[in-house]
Amino acid sequence: MKRAKAIAIIGTACRFPGGAATPASFWDILSQGRDVVTEIPNDRFDKRIFQHPDIGVAGRSYTYAAGTVGDVAGFDAAFFGISAREAEQMDPQQRLLLELTWEAMERGGQVPDHIAGTPTAVYVGISATDYADIRQGDAETGNAYFMLGSTLSIAANRISYIFDLNGPSMAIDTACSSSLVALHEAVHALRGGRCGMAVVGGMHLLLSPYNFVGFSKATMLAPYGRCRAFDALAKGYVRGEGGGVVLLKPLADAERDGDPILGLIRDVDINTDGRTKGIALPSGEAQEALLTRVYARAGVDPNDVVYLEAHGTGTSVGDPAETGAIGRALGRHRTAGPLPVGSVKSNIGHLEPAAGMAGLIKSLLILRHRVIPPTLHVETLNPDIDFEGLNLAPALTAQPLPRTERPAVIGINSFGFGGTNAHVIVEEYRAAPVAADESADAPLYLSARTEPALRQLAGEMAGALQNGVSRADAAWTLGRRRSHLETRLVARGPDVVEALADYASGEAPSAITAGSALSRGAPVGLVFAGNGSQWTGMGAALLGEDAVFRAAIERIDPLVQKAAGWSVLAEMALDADPARMDDTRIAQPMLFALQVGLVESLRARGLTFGAVTGHSVGE
C-alpha cells in the first residue's frame, strides 16, 4: 500500500447489544460465541398493542425480537454544555453519538480542546427518525429545540458544533450500508486534503413499533427472531440497535503524533445495483463488480484476505447473492484454502444503518486478538449456496487467524436494501517495537466534570491497573492525551491501586490529592514559606532533571557564597543530612533558593502569579 494513501484507524467506541459499551466487552460477546438478541424492552412501547402472530392482521408485527442496548434515556447533558430543556428534545441517537465521539477521542489519544477549530470532518450513517415520528401526535411537547433534535443532519452537525470541528459535516442515509458509505466519504475527504482527521459513525435505535410493522408486512423479519446467515432455514433477519464511532487520520500524521493505530484502511468503494427484479432485491452481479474493482485497485492478493465479514443478514435471497459475489470475486482466485466468512449479525442482530460499524469494529478486534469468532445459528448449510465451488468456508467455530508473510487483510461487506453497496478493506498495522518506559512510581492524573464521576473513574482506573495496564503508560496517557476537566485528582506513591479503589468507595486516602481546578485565566496567588518547611534532600531531584530550576540555582549560588561562605548548589547535590537542615543558617538560604527556582520552573511552564506573600524568610 502506498503510504501517502494509507488511512489509520486510531480510536473506536461502541454501544452494541448485550451491554457491549466498550470494544473490550464487545469482544467478550464475540469470542465467547454469545447470542445477545432478546426483545424490545417494555419501556419503548406497548408491544401487546402492536403484535399479532398472523401477518394478515393490519398494523401488527409478528415479532419484536431484537438486539437492544437497554437504557437510551440516560444522558449527561451538562457534560456537553447542553441544557436539560434542549436535551429533552434531542433524539437519543444524537445523545449517544456525542458520548461515542468523546470516548473514541479518548481511546485515540485526541484531546478535544487541541482539535477544536481544526478541519476535522464528521460523517454519520443514520436512517431512523423514530423519536420524531412518535412525537408527531403531540405537538405541544415541542419547543424551540424540537427541529434541531429531530433532523438527521444535526446528528453529524451537533458533533461538529459541540467539539468545534470545521471540516465537512454530514449525515448519510443509504439504509443498511450507511456506515460504510460514510466511511468511504471520510477516506476520500482525507485523501483529498479536505480534512486532517475524520469522525465516522453509525447509529440506530429502535424506538417505534411502526418500522417493525412495515418490515413484518414485507416478510423481511425472521419469525424465529435470529439472523441465521448461511443456514438452510434463513428466512429473514432480526433487527438490532446501537452504534459505533471510529477516528481516522492519514497514517503519516498518526505515526508522527504517536497515536494508537488499530488498523489501516487499505481501500473502500461503493456502487449501486441499478434496476433489479425489485428495488429491495440485491444484485449479486453488482456486488461482484464492486469487490473485483476494489481489490484490484488496492492491489490485494486474494490469498492475503484472512477473513471476510459478510453483510450476512440471513435472508433467502440476500445470502446466496452475497456469497456468490464473494466467491466469484475472491474465493475462486485463492490457492490458500477456502476463504473464511462470517456475520456479526448472528450475535447482535442487524443494526441496519449502523451495521457497518459493528462489522468494522469486529474486524479490528479480530486483527488485534488474532482469532476469528464463530458465526452462530448455522445448523445446516444453505443448499442454495455452493460453498465448496465458491471456495468459501463459514466460520462456525472459533479459529486462529492464519499467519501471513504480508500484513493480514480483512474485508467488510455491506449493502442497503435500496441497492447501495459498500466494501472496505482493512489491513493489519505492524509497528516497529518501541522500548517501554516502565516508571513504577509515575503519578496518575485523573479528571472528570463532577466528583461522583471522578470517583467512578478512579475505580475504573484501579481495575485497569489490577488487570495489567502499565502504570507508566497510564500516567503518560492520562497526563498528555486526555482532556483535563474541572474536578481532578493526582495519585502518588507505590500503593496507587489501593488508593484509587479507596477513593472510589468514598474515602480520602493520603496518597490522593483531589479538588477543583481554577477556571482558565483565574488569578493565582503564591505564598513563600518560612523556616520549618524544609526537608532533607529538597531540590536534589529537580537539580538533575529540570534545566530551568538548575539555572536559577546557579544564578543564586554566587550570591549565597559571597554572603555565607558556602555553596547552595553543592549543598543540594550532597547526600541529605538532617542535622544540617535543622541549622537555620543552612535551611533559610536553601529555602530561599529552592522557592526562587520553583517559581522560575513554573513560569517556564506557563504558570504566572498575580500576587505573592510570605512569612519569615519567605517575606
Side-chain angles (χ1 to χ4, degrees), residues 148-519:
L148 286 168
S150 305
T151 308
L152 290 182
S153 61
I154 303 300
N157 299 159
R158 196 182 292 275
I159 294 172
S160 300
Y161 170 77
I162 291 293
F163 292 93
D164 191 18
L165 311 177
N166 301 136
S169 180
M170 63 190 75
I172 292 174
D173 178 8
T174 60
C176 309
S177 58
S178 298
S179 293
L180 293 194
V181 174
L183 187 80
H184 172 270
E185 296 306 303
V187 166
H188 285 274
L190 286 163
R191 288 176 174 172
R194 297 194 300 277
C195 57
M197 186 170 75
V199 177
V200 183
M203 178 55 62
H204 187 54
L205 292 180
L206 306 173
L207 307 178
S208 163
Y210 303 127
N211 289 340
F212 278 92
V213 172
F215 287 125
S216 177
K217 297 309 176 190
T219 65
M220 292 182 179
L221 301 182
Y224 40 76
R226 295 296 185 272
C227 288
R228 303 185 68 154
F230 318 127
D231 188 72
L233 296 179
K235 293 181 180 178
Y237 77 93
V238 62
R239 305 188 75 200
E241 67 177 6
V245 167
V246 298
L247 296 188
L248 308 183
K249 220 177 189 183
L251 175 60
D253 293 352
E255 289 180 327
R256 176 200 66 204
D257 297 337
D259 297 326
I261 299 174
L262 309 176
L264 306 178
I265 296 177
R266 182 75 174 254
D267 210 346
V268 59
D269 206 351
I270 58 176
N271 74 356
T272 306
D273 291 343
R275 185 182 292 276
T276 59
K277 293 180 180 180
I279 190 170
L281 297 177
S283 166
E285 292 75 17
Q287 292 182 40
E288 179 186 354
L290 174 65
L291 290 165
T292 300
R293 183 174 73 215
V294 70
Y295 281 92
R297 187 176 66 197
V300 173
D301 185 327
N303 287 309
D304 288 337
V305 183
V306 295
Y307 171 73
L308 196 138
E309 174 67 19
H311 192 61
T313 53
T315 61
S316 58
V317 176
D319 284 7
E322 182 184 22
T323 50
I326 296 168
R328 292 189 299 273
L330 294 172
R332 289 175 176 171
H333 300 282
R334 289 168 55 87
T335 59
L339 173 62
V341 294
S343 174
V344 70
K345 296 173 182 65
S346 68
N347 301 92
I348 64 174
H350 182 11
L351 274 54
E352 295 172 19
M357 281 293 111
L360 176 61
I361 294 174
K362 172 185 175 180
S363 299
L364 293 172
L365 291 168
I366 289 173
L367 290 173
R368 176 182 177 184
H369 295 282
R370 303 203 65 80
V371 174
I372 300 172
T375 293
L376 312 181
H377 312 306
V378 182
E379 296 178 3
T380 304
L381 288 177
N382 191 333
D384 294 330
I385 302 173
D386 181 9
F387 288 103
E388 184 177 352
L390 294 168
N391 202 25
L392 303 179
L396 306 184
T397 59
Q399 53 191 270
L401 207 64
R403 292 285 176 182
T404 54
E405 184 177 334
R406 291 185 290 270
V409 169
I410 290 178
I412 304 109
N413 210 34
S414 193
F415 54 88
F417 78 150
T420 300
N421 308 305
H423 192 86
V424 60
I425 305 171
V426 177
E427 181 177 286
E428 171 189 16
Y429 176 70
R430 294 181 177 177
V434 177
D437 175 10
E438 292 300 333
S439 177
D441 58 354
L444 299 175
Y445 300 90
L446 278 72
S447 69
R449 294 281 190 217
T450 64
E451 182 182 336
L454 185 62
R455 289 189 183 276
Q456 179 180 340
L457 182 61
E460 292 171 356
M461 180 53 60
L465 293 170
Q466 285 177 323
N467 289 325
V469 171
S470 159
R471 177 168 171 177
D473 286 349
W476 188 90
T477 301
L478 291 167
R480 300 290 186 91
R481 306 301 288 269
R482 288 290 187 272
S483 293
H484 300 305
L485 306 177
E486 300 92 321
T487 308
R488 305 178 182 179
L489 69 78
V490 57
R492 298 185 179 88
D495 301 320
V496 292
V497 173
E498 182 180 350
L500 288 168
D502 289 344
Y503 182 80
S505 65
E507 299 179 27
S510 59
I512 286 181
T513 302
S516 298
L518 294 169
S519 60

Side-chain angles (χ1 to χ4, degrees), residues 75-136:
F75 176 59
D76 190 352
F79 181 90
F80 295 101
I82 297 171
S83 70
R85 188 165 178 262
E86 181 173 6
E88 183 183 42
Q89 302 293 325
M90 288 169 58
D91 187 331
Q93 295 180 125
Q94 293 186 19
R95 306 176 204 168
L96 281 173
L97 281 166
L98 288 177
E99 294 177 357
L100 291 174
T101 300
W102 181 275
E103 292 172 18
M105 286 185 177
E106 285 215 320
R107 291 196 184 96
Q110 306 303 303
V111 179
D113 285 348
H114 296 175
I115 61 174
T118 64
T120 297
V122 179
Y123 295 90
V124 172
I126 188 168
S127 295
T129 56
D130 288 17
Y131 194 64
D133 295 343
I134 60 178
R135 301 183 64 209
Q136 286 181 353

Side-chain angles (χ1 to χ4, degrees), residues 527-535 538 581 584 587-592 594-595 613-619:
V527 179
F528 287 91
N531 194 42
S533 60
Q534 69 270 21
W535 70 96
M538 64 180 188
M581 277 297 163
T584 58
Q588 293 200 10
M590 290 281 283
L591 278 170
F592 169 77
L594 176 78
Q595 292 180 108
T613 187
H615 70 92
S616 183
V617 70
E619 291 186 276

